[in-house]
C-alpha cells in the first residue's frame, strides 16, 4: 500500500518511515479491570501517575503482590521501557527509570523494544514531536474520558534514523535544553505581561475616570448634585406609580463644611473615612442603590429548562456576553413562562446585568432588543430606571 499521502515531510536517505508497532517487541496496556486496592503493597500506576512526564509513585494506589504477579504476566514494565498515556490526556511518554516493581491500569500503554538498537530517549522525544502528537490528537476517540486505542497507537507513522544519529539527536537536544528552558521562562513572563497588560491598563484608565482625572472638567456642566436630585424625583414618581418598591433605608449623601455626611433613617453621620479619594467639586458621592433599582430574578427550576424558546442566562453566559459580546446559549425557557415572569420584571435595554457567582462583578449592558431571563442568586439585575449613561 502506497503511503505517499500520509508522509508529511521528506527525510534523509538513511532514515526510514515505519509504523510504531513494527519496531516494538511488545505493545500492550494495563489491566482493564479495577483491582482490589490495599493500603500498602505494589504500586498500581494509572495515567495520573505519569501525566507530569515522569513516573511518580507519590500518589498512586497499591495492590497486593499476588494480584501484581497475575497482572505482570501480561503487562510487565521494566527499566528502560516507555509508558504512554492513552486515556484522558493522550500521548505523554515516560521512560521507566527505576527497577521497582509496579503494575499498570488500562489508561497506560507499555512499549517494549530492543534498547540496543533503539535509543529510548530518542523514542521519547519522537513521541513528543508534532509528528506523533498530531496523530495522537487526530486518533483519540470518544467523548469525556477520550481514548487513544492500541490499534491506532501501533499504526502511528514515525521516522527512524540510524542508531548513531539517534544518539547525536539526543545529545543535541540535551545541549539545547538549558537554552530552551530559559527561553520558556522568559516566554511565559512575556506572555503573562501581554495577557495582563490590557486588563491592568483598562483598570488604570477606569480608576482615573472615576476620580475625574481622565478628561478635563468643564465648568459649564450641570453639577452632579442637580442630576441626583432629578433621579430622586423620578424614583419617587416610579414608587408612586407602583413600578418599583420604596427603599426603607433611603440614603442621601451631601457636603457640609468641606465634609461629607450621609442621611440614613433620619440620622446624619460623617462618612469621610469611607471615601477612598477626592473628586471634582461638581461631582457627588452616592450609594449605588440610589441611582438604580437592584433586583433578583424569580426562581426558575431546572425542570423548566428547555432546548429552545427564550434564552435563560446564568453567570457563565452573562460573563461571556461581558467578555466577547455574544454567547452560544444552551438553556431556554418557554414563552409562557417568560410571559409569567415578565409580570414581576424582566431586563430591559440599558439595565446592567452583574455576575454574582464565579468571577464576580462581570457586567453586561442589556441591549434594547435583548430578550432573556436570568438565574436567581447567580446574576443580579440593576434596573437603570433613571437612564444613567450606560457606560459609566
Amino acid at each position: 500500500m502506497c503511503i505517499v499521502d500520509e508522509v508529511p515531510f521528506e527525510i534523509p536517505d538513511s532514515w526510514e518511515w515505519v509504523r510504531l508497532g513494527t519496531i516494538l517487541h511488545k505493545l500492550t496496556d494495563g489491566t482493564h479491570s479495577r483491582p482490589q486496592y490495599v493500603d500498602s503493597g505494589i504500586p498500581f500506576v494509572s495515567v495520573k501517575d505519569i501525566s507530569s512526564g515522569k513516573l511518580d509513585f507519590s500518589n498512586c494506589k497499591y495492590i497486593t503482590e499476588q494480584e501484581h504477579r497475575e497482572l505482570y504476566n501480561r503487562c510487565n514494565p521494566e527499566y528502560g521501557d516507555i509508558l504512554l498515556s492513552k486515556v484522558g490526556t493522550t500521548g505523554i511518554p515516560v521512560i521507566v527509570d527505576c527497577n521497582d516493581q509496579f503494575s499498570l491500569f488500562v489508561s497506560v500503554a507499555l512499549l517494549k523494544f530492543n534498547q540496543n538498537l533503539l535509543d529510548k530517549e530518542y523514542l521519547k522525544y519522537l513521541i513528543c514531536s508534532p509528528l506523533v502528537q498530531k496523530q495522537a490528537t487526530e486518533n483519540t476517540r470518544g467523548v469525556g474520558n477520550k481514548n487513544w486505542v492500541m490499534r491506532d497507537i501501533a499504526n502511528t507513522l514515525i521516522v527512524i534514523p540510524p542508531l548513531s544519529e539517534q544518539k547525536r539527536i539526543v545529545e543535541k537536544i540535551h545541549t539545547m535544553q538549558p537554552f530552551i528552558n530559559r527561553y520558556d521562562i522568559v516566554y511565559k513572563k512575556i506572555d503573562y505581561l501581554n495577557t495582563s497588560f490590557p486588563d491592568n491598563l483598562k483598570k488604570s484608565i477606569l480608576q482615573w475616570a472615576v476620580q475625574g482625572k481622565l478628561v478635563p472638567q468643564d465648568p459649564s456642566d450641570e453639577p452632579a448634585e442637580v442630576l441626583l436630585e432629578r433621579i430622586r424625583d423620578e424614583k419617587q414618581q416610579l414608587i408612586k406609580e407602583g413600578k418599583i418598591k420604596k427603599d426603607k433605608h433611603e440614603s442621601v449623601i451631601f457636603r457640609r463644611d468641606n465634609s461629607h455626611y450621609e442621611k440614613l433613617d433620619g440620622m446624619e453621620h460623617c462618612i469621610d473615612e469611607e471615601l477612598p479619594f477626592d473628586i471634582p467639586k461638581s461631582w457627588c458621592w452616592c450609594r449605588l442603590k440610589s441611582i438604580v433599582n437592584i433586583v433578583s430574578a424569580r426562581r426558575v427550576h431546572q425542570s423548566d429548562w428547555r432546548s429552545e424558546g427564550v434564552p435563560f442566562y446564568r453567570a457563565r453566559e452573562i460573563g461571556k456576553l461581558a467578555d466577547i459580546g455574544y454567547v452560544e446559549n444552551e438553556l431556554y425557557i418557554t414563552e409562557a413562562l417568560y410571559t409569567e415572569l415578565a409580570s414581576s420584571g424582566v431586563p430591559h435595554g440599558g439595565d446592567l446585568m452583574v455576575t454574582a457567582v464565579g468571577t464576580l462583578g462581570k457586567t453586561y449592558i442589556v441591549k434594547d432588543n435583548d430578550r432573556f431571563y436570568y438565574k436567581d442568586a447567580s446574576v443580579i439585575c440593576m434596573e437603570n430606571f433613571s437612564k444613567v449613561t450606560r457606560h459609566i
Side-chain angles (χ1 to χ4, degrees), residues 170-198:
V170 170
E171 184 179 352
K172 189 66 173 179
I173 292 175
H174 286 174
T175 302
M176 297 173 64
Q177 198 63 52
F179 299 98
I180 295 172
N181 292 341
R182 287 201 292 270
Y183 175 82
D184 182 58
I185 293 170
V186 173
Y187 177 83
K188 287 178 179 177
K189 287 182 179 179
I190 293 174
D191 186 57
Y192 171 76
L193 290 173
N194 287 336
T195 302
S196 61
F197 179 75

Side-chain angles (χ1 to χ4, degrees), residues 241-270:
E241 295 172 1
K243 294 181 178 180
I244 63 173
K245 294 181 180 180
K246 183 176 181 179
D247 185 359
K248 296 180 180 179
H249 304 286
E250 186 70 35
S251 161
V252 178
I253 297 174
F254 58 93
R255 282 193 184 98
R256 179 190 294 157
D257 300 328
N258 294 323
S259 291
H260 286 82
Y261 291 81
E262 181 175 22
K263 186 174 183 180
L264 181 65
D265 296 334
M267 304 290 291
E268 295 180 5
H269 63 282
C270 183

Side-chain angles (χ1 to χ4, degrees), residues 208-228:
W208 275 64
V210 299
Q211 292 185 30
K213 298 176 180 180
L214 188 61
V215 297
Q217 302 298 305
D218 188 341
S220 64
D221 285 343
E222 178 186 75
E225 186 177 3
V226 177
L227 173 63
L228 287 176

Side-chain angles (χ1 to χ4, degrees), residues 264-281:
L264 181 65
D265 296 334
M267 304 290 291
E268 295 180 5
H269 63 282
C270 183
I271 62 168
D272 283 346
E273 290 185 358
E274 289 188 57
L275 306 182
F277 49 79
D278 293 330
I279 56 175
K281 291 183 179 180

Side-chain angles (χ1 to χ4, degrees), residues 229-362:
E229 189 60 40
R230 288 210 310 272
I231 291 174
R232 282 193 287 269
D233 290 343
E234 182 175 1
K235 187 175 182 180
Q236 289 302 316
Q237 182 61 34
L238 292 173
I239 293 172
K240 185 177 179 180
E241 295 172 1
K243 294 181 178 180
I244 63 173
K245 294 181 180 180
K246 183 176 181 179
D247 185 359
K248 296 180 180 179
H249 304 286
E250 186 70 35
S251 161
V252 178
I253 297 174
F254 58 93
R255 282 193 184 98
R256 179 190 294 157
D257 300 328
N258 294 323
S259 291
H260 286 82
Y261 291 81
E262 181 175 22
K263 186 174 183 180
L264 181 65
D265 296 334
M267 304 290 291
E268 295 180 5
H269 63 282
C270 183
I271 62 168
D272 283 346
E273 290 185 358
E274 289 188 57
L275 306 182
F277 49 79
D278 293 330
I279 56 175
K281 291 183 179 180
S282 61
W283 291 34
C284 285
W285 290 100
C286 66
R287 301 292 181 186
L288 179 61
K289 65 179 181 179
S290 66
I291 62 170
V292 297
N293 188 35
I294 302 174
V295 296
S296 294
R298 285 172 53 186
R299 176 66 56 87
V300 173
H301 298 283
Q302 189 170 345
S303 58
D304 294 318
W305 294 354
R306 299 291 183 269
S307 58
E308 59 182 18
V310 179
F312 181 70
Y313 294 155
R314 299 157 295 181
R316 70 186 71 174
E317 284 81 24
I318 293 298
K320 288 182 179 178
L321 286 168
D323 289 338
I324 58 178
Y326 72 91
V327 62
E328 295 180 0
N329 191 45
E330 301 174 352
L331 303 179
Y332 299 83
I333 58 174
T334 63
E335 190 72 37
L337 179 56
Y338 177 78
T339 301
E340 178 187 336
L341 295 169
S343 63
S344 57
V346 295
H348 295 92
D351 291 346
L352 195 67
M353 311 304 297
V354 184
T355 58
V357 297
T359 303
L360 304 179
K362 282 186 173 289

